Amino acid sequence: MQRELYPAMAEHAGRSTVAVIRRLIVPGALPALVHCASGKDRTGVTAAVLQTLLNASEAEITEGFLRSNTALGLTGASAVPQAGHGTRPVTRTHLLHAMIWIRGHYGSVPDYLLAHGAEEAELRALHTALT
């Protein structure tokens, strides 16, 4: 079930999310494009983590996440995925389960990233670069 994949993505995405942060804080790295095969599942979890660090509200994060459905043609009764590889629509619950997993295992998003090798200075640098 797709909903069950999101906690697993959060579980396994810690180091790769830290790598994204390290790329984003390099001088001259912005603007940047962060994506995966469809740009909604792994990218959605990564974007949610980054937006959480920037103090975006859960509502703002979820709203952006759900825009993937429209962008990929995954809305309406006759939704035909534009990505071409059978991608499925996302729901609020998908992202919620990933974020619950992160907070349940690490307490907070910053602690999740620190446990996967990020340094406090890198998290501050990201906040500075993106705000």
Side-chain angles (χ1 to χ4, degrees):
M1 184 175 231
Q2 187 179 9
R3 181 185 71 184
E4 294 165 355
L5 292 176
Y6 278 77
M9 280 187 257
E11 179 179 3
H12 298 290
R15 285 195 285 153
S16 61
T17 304
V18 171
V20 168
I21 291 169
R22 288 180 175 150
R23 295 290 298 253
L24 292 174
I25 62 174
V26 171
L30 299 173
L33 174 67
V34 177
H35 64 87
C36 61
S38 294
K40 66 175 180 59
D41 299 308
R42 290 167 289 176
T43 301
V45 172
T46 300
V49 167
L50 297 177
Q51 291 171 311
T52 300
L53 288 173
L54 299 174
N55 299 316
S57 71
E58 186 175 321
E60 292 169 317
I61 294 167
T62 303
E63 180 183 325
F65 177 69
L66 293 175
R67 278 193 220 120
S68 299
N69 291 330
T70 303
L72 293 169
L74 300 173
T75 58
S78 61
V80 178
Q82 299 299 311
H85 51 57
T87 190
R88 294 189 173 121
V90 294
T91 68
R92 294 178 194 288
T93 305
H94 294 141
L95 187 58
L96 178 64
H97 281 128
M99 300 309 286
I100 287 171
W101 188 93
I102 289 170
R103 290 184 179 110
H105 285 81
Y106 294 94
S108 70
V109 167
D111 288 341
Y112 165 72
L113 295 167
L114 293 169
H116 286 91
E119 298 176 10
E120 293 273 355
E122 291 171 321
L123 301 183
R124 285 192 303 274
L126 180 73
H127 193 274
T128 299
L130 296 178
T131 57

